[in-house]
């Protein structure tokens, strides 16, 4: 892959964009199926209560209505959605049924499923369903969950569904001997990924073949197939899960939701295709939320700024049920508290709490965004107490190349650890300081210029990626020398078709134009696939493609050697895989094979890769309104080996903007009754294109990963991880003279204004007391 005309490393324009720009993308709602029925979900309007009755009689009699399903129609045992990762017995006790029975636990929980000739008729029928619920007091926050006087699951006797503990060294001993200690409380708000496209599904049942096809899956189609097959009592090979084009995922889309079963169940029961498309309000109420964390974190340092230890507790609000990947965030909070710093001793306990809110899942950089915010704020506070330069203290503690690989904390109860694979974290840090012109702008810290206070901050992070255990790919070469790529990872808008075409072209030594198609995700592509999550697709899928390419070339050489009667070593593949040669003998490939040639490849990995970097921001804060303007934002990352600078750049910029939205705007707000107050785009604020015009991202490839043949590392999540801490520290620096210290996100204008007013009030009270 090192020939002069290599495609890897070049900014090849996204091949998939041409069909999108021409309006030829095919999203799930674009799928047409003759005779398809349409479904609507009846959802609970009560956050917590016991179901007295569900009256569907009126709905069933409406013209065009084919069925109204409730939990009693699903059999003696209502299917529940299993935990996909980091399962614990206690987590398994709070999994979600596909339809509520006995009790509802959040506003938006499915209680009935209506199927009719059209979506409009299904909506009318859903309105005719009467659900009688005896309300119970809602559990909203950590205090209510820990009080335990109201329980979501009475058989558990607690609202704490599980715990994760990160351990390295002896934190208690380090704190006992530390000359400086500080402890603070932090909070990250509840918000959501909000992809452009909402969820949707189309299911078809072939009664003759006893085969189910479900289109609209994303992220982990093979896992969805496994769960769905078990629920439907079908062999896995009788279920096809098809990935369409996806309008963004960011961790939330693609996990198993109640509708994945309900749509398939209805299609099988009714013998007709069934289609369901989620509207935006449904999306806010039912698709996974994320982030909400309370954290108490403590740092121990020497007086020269060397960090000795971290310890603390965190509480994640998982919502009403344990969804398949809810454990990602608390696990990462427990393990990644030290981030990129040399911290020998760590102890972090994270509790997973249940509440009467929409269940949570993962969102780009799950857990890492939250713990980075807490740690980076605490470092700045320690610097102020110790009279140290913020940049120098960070640089002093950053890990270096000589310390790699570097062991991560063990996470209990599973006992898993891991290690950072490669890199010198000072390099990206120093480059970030230079890019933001840190020394030049030092005089702006806290200055009031044209009515606004200015502040700068910098923060660091690591990003875990390339999650195993393995991935599979298949390459098919036709008689014309065109190659089709099939891979088990999923495309969620990250440019996977382009990057995989580059890898295949280089591995086979062919022009990229000879890569005919890249098919991904669907269970029809390969025998086994694992999907796209945790920044794994490019590394795991790409290496599987490279492995399949070697096998394909080997099979061609073996066939040619048999034909020519010569050693395999004498065979050359020439003319862009369109002919073979052995000395004077030459043969077009189509004459050699006369048909398609195919090869499969697998790449397995037990260890993750770790990208890393630093971000810096320059903000201006208007004390009259609380408005925070990001004047300049710079990100520098090292991703091991850059496969495509253009797609990587897009990933970085998109992640940063999402991080800024979460730091400054977005919040899912509930009232005391468990009603979501921000369930539309009119009340839930998202960043727009002109909000953050000056963002620059620099990507380096100085330290390739030693864990895979590409040398690549995952790079899809790093852009979001440090944003909260960087923005909060920049605001704190801007308003430091006013005594403002933010400890929670988002830093929306009303919240910043209130912080300023509170600080002024405290100052006036202190002055009166002094007099």
């Amino acid at each position: 892959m090192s020939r002069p005309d290599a495609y890897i490393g070049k900014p090849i324009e996204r091949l998939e964009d041409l069909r999108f720009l021409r309006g030829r993308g095919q999203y799930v709602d674009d799928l047409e199926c003759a005779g398809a029925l349409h479904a609507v979900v009846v959802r609970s309007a009560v956050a917590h209560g016991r179901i007295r009755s569900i009256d569907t009689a009126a709905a069933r009699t409406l013209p065009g209505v084919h069925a109204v399903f409730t939990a009693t129609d699903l059999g003696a045992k209502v299917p529940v959605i299993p935990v996909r990762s980091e399962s614990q017995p206690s987590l398994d006790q709070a999994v979600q049924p596909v339809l509520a029975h006995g009790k509802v636990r959040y506003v938006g929980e499915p209680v009935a499923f209506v199927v009719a000739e059209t979506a409009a008729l299904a909506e009318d029928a859903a309105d005719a369903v009467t659900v009688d619920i005896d309300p119970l007091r809602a559990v909203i926050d950590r205090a209510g969950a820990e009080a335990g006087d109201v329980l979501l699951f009475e058989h558990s006797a607690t609202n704490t569904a599980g715990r994760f503990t990160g351990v390295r060294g002896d934190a208690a001993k380090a704190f006992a001997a530390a000359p400086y200690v500080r402890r603070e409380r932090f909070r990250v708000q509840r918000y959501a990924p909000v992809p452009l496209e909402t969820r949707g599904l189309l299911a078809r049942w072939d009664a003759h073949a006893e085969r189910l096809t479900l289109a609209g899956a994303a992220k982990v189609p093979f896992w969805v197939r496994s769960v769905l097959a078990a629920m439907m009592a079908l062999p896995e090979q009788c279920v096809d899960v098809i990935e369409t084009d996806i309008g963004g995922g960011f961790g939330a889309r693609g996990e198993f939701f109640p509708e994945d079963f309900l749509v398939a169940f209805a299609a099988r029961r009714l013998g007709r295709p069934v289609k369901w498309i989620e509207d935006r309000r449904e999306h806010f109420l039912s698709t996974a939320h994320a982030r909400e964390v309370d954290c108490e974190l403590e740092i121990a340092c020497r007086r020269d700024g060397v960090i000795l230890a971290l310890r603390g507790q965190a509480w994640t609000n998982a919502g009403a049920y344990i969804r398949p990947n809810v454990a990602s965030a608390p696990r990462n909070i427990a393990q990644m508290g030290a981030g990129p710093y040399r911290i020998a001793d760590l102890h972090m306990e994270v509790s997973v709490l249940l509440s009467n809110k929409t269940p949570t899942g993962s969102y780009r950089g799950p857990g890492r965004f939250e713990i980075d915010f807490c740690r980076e704020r605490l470092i700045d506070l320690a610097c102020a107490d110790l009279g140290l330069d913020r940049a120098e203290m960070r640089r002093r503690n950053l890990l270096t190349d000589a310390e790699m690989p570097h062991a991560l904390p063990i996470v209990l109860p599973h006992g898993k650890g891991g290690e950072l694979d490669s890199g010198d974290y000072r390099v990206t840090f120093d480059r970030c300081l230079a890019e933001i012109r840190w020394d030049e702008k030092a005089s702006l810290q806290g200055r009031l210029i044209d009515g606004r206070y200015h502040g700068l901050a910098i923060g660091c992070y690591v990003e875990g990626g390339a999650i195993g255990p393995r991935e599979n790919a298949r390459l098919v070469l036709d008689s014309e020398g065109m190659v089709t790529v099939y891979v088990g990872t999923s495309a969620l808008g990250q440019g996977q078709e382009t990057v995989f075409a580059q890898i295949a072209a280089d591995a086979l030594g062919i022009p990229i134009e000879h890569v005919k198609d890249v098919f991904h995700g669907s269970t029809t592509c390969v025998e086994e696939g694992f999907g796209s999550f945790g920044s794994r697709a490019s590394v795991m899928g790409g290496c599987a493609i490279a492995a399949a390419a070697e096998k394909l070339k080997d099979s061609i050489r073996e066939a040619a050697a048999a034909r020519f009667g010569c050693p395999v070593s004498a065979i050359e593949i020439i003319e862009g895989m369109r002919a073979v040669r052995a000395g004077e003998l030459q043969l077009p490939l189509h004459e050699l094979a006369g048909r398609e040639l195919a090869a499969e490849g697998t790449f397995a990995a037990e260890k993750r890769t770790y990208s890393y970097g630093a971000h810096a921001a320059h903000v201006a804060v208007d004390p009259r309104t609380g408005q925070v303007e990001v004047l300049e934002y710079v990100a520098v990352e090292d991703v091991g080996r850059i496969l495509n600078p253009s797609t990587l750049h897009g990933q970085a910029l998109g992640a940063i903007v999402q991080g800024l939205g979460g730091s400054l705007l977005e919040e899912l707000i509930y009232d005391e009754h468990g009603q979501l107050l921000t369930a539309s785009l009119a009340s839930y604020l998202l960043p727009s294109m002109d909000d953050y015009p000056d963002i620059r991202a620099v990507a380096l490839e100085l330290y390739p990963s030693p864990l895979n043949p590409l040398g690549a590392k995952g790079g899809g999540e790093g852009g979001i991880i440090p944003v909260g801490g960087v923005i909060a520290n920049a605001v704190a620096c801007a308003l430091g003279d006013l005594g403002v210290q933010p400890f929670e996100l988002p830093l929306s204008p009303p919240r910043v204004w209130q912080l300023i007013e509170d600080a002024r009030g405290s100052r006036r009270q202190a002055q009166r007391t002094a007099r």
Side-chain angles (χ1 to χ4, degrees):
M1 293 190 187
S2 60
R3 58 185 223 280
D5 59 337
Y7 293 101
I8 290 178
K10 290 186 177 179
I12 305 295
E13 291 186 357
R14 286 171 36 122
L15 305 177
E16 51 268 69
D17 284 354
L18 190 58
R19 74 170 186 273
F20 295 142
L21 293 171
R22 290 175 173 175
R24 295 177 182 172
Q26 191 171 61
Y27 301 89
V28 64
D29 200 22
D30 296 321
L31 300 179
E32 299 291 343
C33 189
L37 301 174
H38 296 263
V40 168
V41 182
V42 180
R43 301 183 184 278
S44 174
V46 176
H48 196 196
R50 303 193 188 281
I51 299 174
R52 290 173 173 165
S53 64
I54 304 174
D55 187 352
T56 64
R60 293 175 191 269
T61 62
L62 291 176
V65 174
H66 285 256
V68 181
F69 299 110
T70 65
T72 58
D73 299 305
L74 304 183
K77 188 174 182 180
V78 177
V80 295
I81 302 170
V83 177
R84 180 169 65 83
S85 62
E86 306 287 346
S87 180
Q88 301 177 20
S90 58
L91 295 179
D92 295 336
Q93 297 300 308
V95 292
Q96 181 170 2
V98 296
L99 282 175
H101 57 99
K103 197 176 186 184
V104 293
R105 295 180 174 86
Y106 67 97
V107 173
E109 181 170 4
V111 294
F113 193 68
V114 179
V115 185
E117 286 289 338
T118 68
L121 290 173
E123 289 279 2
D124 290 342
D127 289 340
V129 175
T130 302
V131 184
D132 186 9
I133 298 173
D134 183 16
L136 298 171
R137 183 154 56 89
V139 175
I140 301 302
D141 53 20
R142 171 189 162 193
E146 290 192 314
D149 55 335
V150 178
L151 297 172
L152 271 75
F153 294 87
E154 287 81 358
H155 63 267
S156 297
T158 178
N159 290 318
T160 300
R163 286 189 174 85
F164 294 85
T165 304
V167 179
R168 180 169 62 195
D170 189 340
K173 182 178 179 180
F175 270 89
Y180 169 83
V181 170
R182 179 158 181 172
R183 185 181 185 91
E184 290 293 347
R185 294 183 178 181
F186 302 97
R187 185 176 188 277
V188 177
Q189 83 280 21
R190 189 182 201 85
Y191 64 109
V194 196
L196 183 63
E197 183 195 20
T198 58
R199 293 183 294 134
L201 298 162
L202 175 63
R204 288 172 289 180
W205 170 252
D206 184 335
H208 178 72
E210 292 193 332
R211 192 170 197 86
L212 176 69
T213 302
L214 181 68
K219 186 179 177 180
V220 284
F222 282 82
W223 188 77
V224 168
R225 179 181 71 171
S226 176
V227 174
L228 185 58
M231 287 182 174
M232 304 281 285
L234 290 170
E236 282 194 29
Q237 62 267 26
C238 291
V239 179
D240 289 329
V241 177
I242 306 301
E243 180 178 284
T244 57
D245 286 323
I246 303 295
F250 314 120
R253 286 195 59 188
E255 294 291 347
F256 202 102
F257 289 91
E259 296 83 4
D260 292 74
F261 170 81
L262 295 171
V263 174
F265 172 84
R268 187 183 188 184
R269 175 69 68 89
L270 300 174
R272 286 177 61 178
V274 175
K275 189 176 189 179
W276 168 77
I277 302 296
E278 180 184 62
D279 66 33
R280 185 57 68 180
R281 177 173 171 78
E282 277 188 298
H283 180 81
F284 275 114
L285 290 173
S286 60
T287 300
H289 293 177
R291 301 293 192 221
E292 186 176 358
V293 172
D294 291 290
C295 181
E296 295 180 6
L297 191 62
E298 191 173 15
I299 191 170
C301 302
R302 293 195 328 221
R303 296 215 166 262
D304 63 357
V306 171
I307 303 174
L308 301 173
L310 280 176
R311 68 181 176 188
Q313 291 178 283
W315 298 263
T316 65
N317 189 326
Y321 295 100
I322 298 300
R323 286 235 172 115
N325 63 333
V326 74
S328 298
R331 182 202 181 281
N332 287 336
I333 293 170
Q335 185 177 49
M336 303 306 295
Y341 301 108
R342 186 187 308 103
I343 303 176
D345 301 293
L346 181 143
H347 189 278
M348 191 75 195
E349 183 177 286
V350 186
S351 299
V352 182
L353 304 180
L354 297 171
S355 73
N356 295 116
K357 295 180 178 178
T358 299
T360 61
S362 60
Y363 176 22
R364 206 172 197 167
R368 295 185 178 94
F369 175 92
E370 297 93 308
I371 194 62
D372 251 59
F373 163 70
C374 303
R375 182 193 64 244
E376 294 297 321
R377 281 294 292 125
L378 197 53
I379 289 175
D380 262 29
L381 293 166
C383 286
D385 290 346
L386 296 170
L388 299 173
D389 180 81
R390 294 176 297 151
E392 180 53 36
M393 180 173 173
R394 284 178 170 83
R395 194 177 194 283
R396 184 170 296 164
N397 289 284
L398 285 170
L399 291 164
T400 67
D401 182 39
E403 298 169 275
M404 298 295 170
H406 184 80
L408 292 170
I410 299 296
V411 181
L412 305 174
H414 299 101
K416 297 178 182 178
E419 59 187 25
L420 304 174
D421 53 341
S422 66
D424 189 327
Y425 297 171
R426 299 169 304 180
V427 174
T428 50
F429 182 75
D430 290 341
R431 178 68 179 272
C432 191
L433 290 173
E435 291 286 339
I436 197 76
R437 305 186 306 283
W438 184 267
D439 292 337
E440 178 184 331
K441 291 185 173 185
S443 62
L444 296 176
Q445 296 280 25
R447 282 183 58 187
L448 183 63
I449 303 172
D450 294 330
R452 299 191 301 175
Y453 289 96
H454 287 241
L456 278 84
I458 191 167
C460 306
Y461 72 94
V462 291
E463 172 196 355
I467 296 174
R470 59 191 171 276
E471 195 51 80
N472 300 286
R474 180 166 59 97
L475 301 186
V476 177
L477 176 68
D478 66 24
S479 59
E480 300 300 317
M482 301 297 288
V483 174
T484 301
V485 178
Y486 299 88
V487 65
T489 58
S490 297
L492 297 161
Q494 70 270 54
Q496 183 171 282
E497 293 175 27
T498 304
V499 173
F500 285 169
Q502 292 175 258
I503 293 171
D506 276 359
L508 294 170
I510 61 175
I512 197 169
E513 293 79 13
H514 290 185
V515 179
K516 185 178 180 179
D517 274 308
V518 176
F519 295 103
H520 42 75
S522 299
T523 58
T524 53
C525 290
V526 291
E527 289 294 320
E528 176 193 54
F530 291 86
S532 295
F533 55 92
S535 295
R536 73 182 302 275
S538 292
V539 175
M540 300 300 294
C543 290
I545 290 168
E550 291 304 313
K551 288 187 176 181
L552 181 60
K553 290 188 290 186
D554 287 345
S555 65
I556 293 171
R557 293 188 187 100
E558 290 169 3
R563 180 71 172 268
F564 294 150
C566 67
V568 171
S569 59
I571 300 296
E572 293 180 84
I573 301 172
I574 61 173
E575 297 180 11
M577 290 196 77
R578 294 191 173 184
V580 289
R581 180 172 63 197
E584 298 298 321
L585 300 175
Q586 184 169 320
L587 192 68
L589 196 63
H590 68 87
E591 291 187 22
L592 173 68
R595 55 181 176 78
E596 293 182 340
L597 290 173
E600 297 179 353
T602 298
F603 178 71
E606 295 181 355
K607 297 180 179 180
R608 299 183 182 186
T609 64
Y610 286 88
S611 299
Y612 59 92
H615 288 199
H618 175 194
V619 306
V621 184
D622 189 332
R624 298 162 296 182
T625 64
Q627 182 70 40
V628 177
E629 181 181 358
V630 180
L631 300 177
E632 186 177 8
Y633 198 99
V634 172
V636 180
E637 62 180 342
D638 193 309
V639 297
R641 186 184 184 193
I642 300 172
L643 302 178
N644 183 317
S646 179
T647 59
L648 176 64
H649 190 67
Q651 287 280 297
L653 293 181
I656 291 167
V657 171
Q658 284 187 311
L660 290 170
S663 301
L664 297 168
L665 298 173
E666 301 176 52
E667 186 168 13
L668 293 164
I669 300 173
Y670 282 80
D671 68 13
E672 68 274 19
H673 305 296
Q675 295 292 331
L676 180 60
L677 304 180
T678 51
S680 78
L681 293 178
S683 54
Y684 185 90
L685 299 180
L686 287 170
S688 57
M689 290 181 64
D690 59 351
D691 283 331
Y692 313 117
D694 193 356
I695 301 174
R696 288 182 291 120
V698 177
L700 306 178
E701 48 182 349
L702 301 178
Y703 292 92
S705 175
L707 304 178
N708 63 80
L710 290 174
K713 302 180 180 183
E717 299 178 87
I720 201 172
I721 292 172
V723 180
V726 169
I727 291 297
N729 280 334
V731 170
C733 288
L735 303 177
D737 288 345
L738 301 180
V740 172
Q741 289 293 345
F743 294 100
E744 64 180 280
L745 296 176
L747 293 172
S748 58
R751 178 164 287 143
V752 174
W753 180 86
Q754 190 61 57
L755 287 171
I756 293 170
E757 288 301 300
D758 290 347
R760 286 171 171 168
S762 297
R763 183 167 293 184
R764 287 192 294 268
Q765 180 62 39
Q767 290 172 346
R768 286 194 292 268
T769 302
R771 288 197 295 267

